[in-house]
Amino acid sequence: MSAAPCEDAPPVDERPDLIAKASAVAAVVHELREETLRLQAREAVTRGGLTEALLAALRRDAGARAGLRSLAVRPRLTIKVRGGLARRLAWRLRGALFRLRWPGQTLMLAASGMWRPSGRPLYDLRHIAAYVRRGADPQVVPPSLFDQAYYLGRYPDVAALGVSPLSHYLRAGQAEGRSPHPLFDAEFYARRNAEELARTRLWPLAHFVRIGGQSALDPHPLFDAAHYMAQAPDLLLREDPATHYLRTGWRQGLSPHPLFDPAWYAAQAPAEAAQVPPLVHFLAEGAARGLSPHPLFDPAWYCAQTPHAHRSGLDPLRHYLAVGAAQGLSPSRWFDPQHYAARRGEALAPGANPLIDYLQAGAWAVDEPTPGFATAAYLAAHPELVAQGLTPLEHWARAATERPMSD
């Protein structure tokens, strides 16, 4: 009798084993998630601590820079300018001396104080005589804050006379309010130094050449001598800041004013602008063309918010510095001056320009300089801005401006 065939074994229920394995995996995943959260929290605490430490260091650095700006300003010279009688006589007789051609004009310039002295009077007299004989030559550069090519180009009637431009400026130009140099604003200088001019009885340009330059007085609203000198005080031992900037400082990328960023400006300016100091180009052409001097100052935005600015005769930046900041006007969509002033509180000095205060100190002291912008969070996300020498709002404005160009 043959054996009965084997019956099929009953099916094995594998679900309990699968459930157990799934539970184990879930437990591991949960533990990994908890560990990840713990690590993220620890990283956040660490990053927050590092950010706070970085902010504290940046605040100390801002304080040190403020001290450097204070030390960079030289004591105002109170020397008695010699030759007062000769200078007054030359001024009263300037018409007659001017008509005597080069001999009279030489004496007129020698007595005016507008020629930077070398310490060798006879050499200076010969030098002045040689200068006067050259007439209206735009290639000549007299030792003064006087741009001969600029003066001749701006005032064709002077070029037609054929006389030396500095002689013309002394004879008539300064009284007529003509500009001797893009970086010298005689009206601004006279207003800021009225007592000094009355004491020395010097005209603005002569005072700057003889005294003001060496005292680090500002020759123009857009040239801040203290700001400039703080960047390289060791380079300025033998000449005034404005002369240093025109001679070599602009080639080194030094900034003449807190609201003038030379690299930012150069990126917008035409290629030929690279041959002259950026601030000079801005004053001569760039401001009229609406070029921006700084990431946080937008001329188009400012003019749109301030329609009366164009009636002042000032370019937007000069209007903002002279009028707009005091009125609480916004320099760009990136900066809210009222919000910043409220957050800065008593640390904002009376009469201080809020944007300049932000750039020089407040960037690292105010938690939210503009609504919704958290300084610490932005710094934690973009620590590279420190190495770039930028404040968070500058970095943000640059990134937002450059982003469409890279798309």
Side-chain angles (χ1 to χ4, degrees):
M1 183 175 177
S2 61
C6 296
E7 297 181 357
D8 292 338
V12 177
D13 189 355
E14 296 179 349
R15 285 179 298 174
D17 189 40
L18 291 175
I19 292 173
K21 289 181 179 179
S23 298
V25 171
V28 172
V29 169
H30 178 75
E31 181 60 29
L32 288 174
R33 182 176 298 169
E34 290 294 319
E35 181 64 20
T36 299
L37 291 174
R38 285 193 295 270
L39 290 174
Q40 288 176 341
R42 188 179 305 166
E43 181 185 5
V45 171
T46 302
R47 181 178 295 181
L50 290 174
T51 301
E52 285 301 319
L54 182 56
L55 280 170
L58 291 168
R59 284 192 289 269
R60 289 194 297 270
D61 181 67
R65 289 178 181 272
L68 189 57
R69 285 192 299 273
S70 178
L71 291 174
V73 177
R74 301 165 182 169
R76 181 170 298 194
L77 300 178
T78 57
I79 62 173
K80 182 178 180 180
V81 180
R82 297 179 179 179
L85 178 59
R87 186 173 62 253
R88 289 194 294 273
L89 285 174
W91 170 250
R92 291 177 181 177
L93 300 174
R94 66 189 186 282
L97 291 173
F98 187 81
R99 288 191 293 272
L100 289 175
R101 299 184 181 276
W102 75 263
Q105 292 176 27
T106 298
L107 294 175
M108 182 177 66
L109 285 179
S112 70
M114 293 188 185
W115 194 274
R116 187 174 288 115
S118 66
R120 296 179 290 171
L122 290 179
Y123 169 81
D124 287 342
L125 198 62
R126 291 195 296 269
H127 195 189
I128 294 172
Y131 163 77
V132 171
R133 286 189 179 118
R134 294 284 294 272
D137 185 347
Q139 302 300 319
V140 177
V141 182
S144 180
L145 191 62
F146 186 88
D147 188 328
Q148 187 136 312
Y150 164 82
Y151 194 79
L152 290 170
R154 184 165 184 174
Y155 308 114
D157 58 319
V158 179
L161 292 174
V163 299
S164 66
L166 189 54
S167 298
H168 177 274
Y169 180 74
L170 179 61
R171 168 67 179 86
Q174 61 183 346
E176 295 169 354
R178 303 200 191 206
S179 173
H181 195 285
L183 292 191
F184 189 79
D185 185 325
E187 182 180 351
F188 165 82
Y189 190 84
R191 187 170 58 251
R192 293 277 294 266
N193 304 286
E195 293 184 6
E196 271 289 292
L197 295 179
R199 181 185 71 82
T200 59
R201 298 185 180 181
L202 290 170
W203 281 75
L205 180 58
H207 184 276
F208 181 83
V209 171
R210 299 293 294 274
I211 300 174
Q214 294 302 319
S215 299
L217 302 183
D218 298 341
H220 192 280
L222 298 186
F223 192 93
D224 185 327
H227 168 79
Y228 182 79
M229 293 174 67
Q231 298 167 76
D234 58 315
L235 300 177
L236 304 169
L237 299 177
R238 298 184 179 180
E239 57 188 337
D240 67 84
T243 300
H244 182 274
Y245 173 73
L246 293 168
R247 183 179 62 81
T248 187
W250 70 275
R251 299 180 188 277
Q252 299 168 354
L254 300 184
S255 166
H257 191 277
L259 294 186
F260 191 84
D261 183 328
W264 171 262
Y265 180 75
Q268 309 163 65
E272 60 269 19
Q275 305 303 315
V276 298
L279 181 57
V280 171
H281 185 273
F282 175 77
L283 292 170
E285 299 181 33
R289 295 169 62 172
L291 301 185
S292 170
H294 191 277
L296 297 180
F297 187 84
D298 184 337
W301 166 275
Y302 182 77
C303 289
Q305 306 301 309
T306 317
H308 63 276
H310 72 279
R311 296 195 296 268
S312 68
L314 301 174
D315 65 73
L317 180 57
R318 290 187 62 179
H319 183 275
Y320 173 69
L321 292 171
V323 180
Q327 295 179 347
L329 302 179
S330 175
S332 70
R333 63 186 182 277
W334 314 110
F335 187 77
D336 184 329
Q338 286 86 5
H339 181 89
Y340 174 79
R343 291 298 182 119
R344 188 77 161 121
E346 295 182 356
L348 182 64
N353 183 310
L355 180 54
I356 292 179
D357 180 82
Y358 171 80
L359 293 169
Q360 294 186 334
W364 317 114
V366 174
D367 59 343
E368 188 186 75
T370 203
F373 187 93
T375 297
Y378 193 87
L379 179 60
H382 303 280
E384 70 276 6
L385 66 85
V386 178
Q388 296 170 3
L390 301 174
T391 62
L393 285 180
E394 285 179 278
H395 187 274
W396 182 37
R398 283 174 178 265
T401 303
E402 294 169 358
R403 194 175 299 121
M405 298 173 59
S406 61
D407 290 341

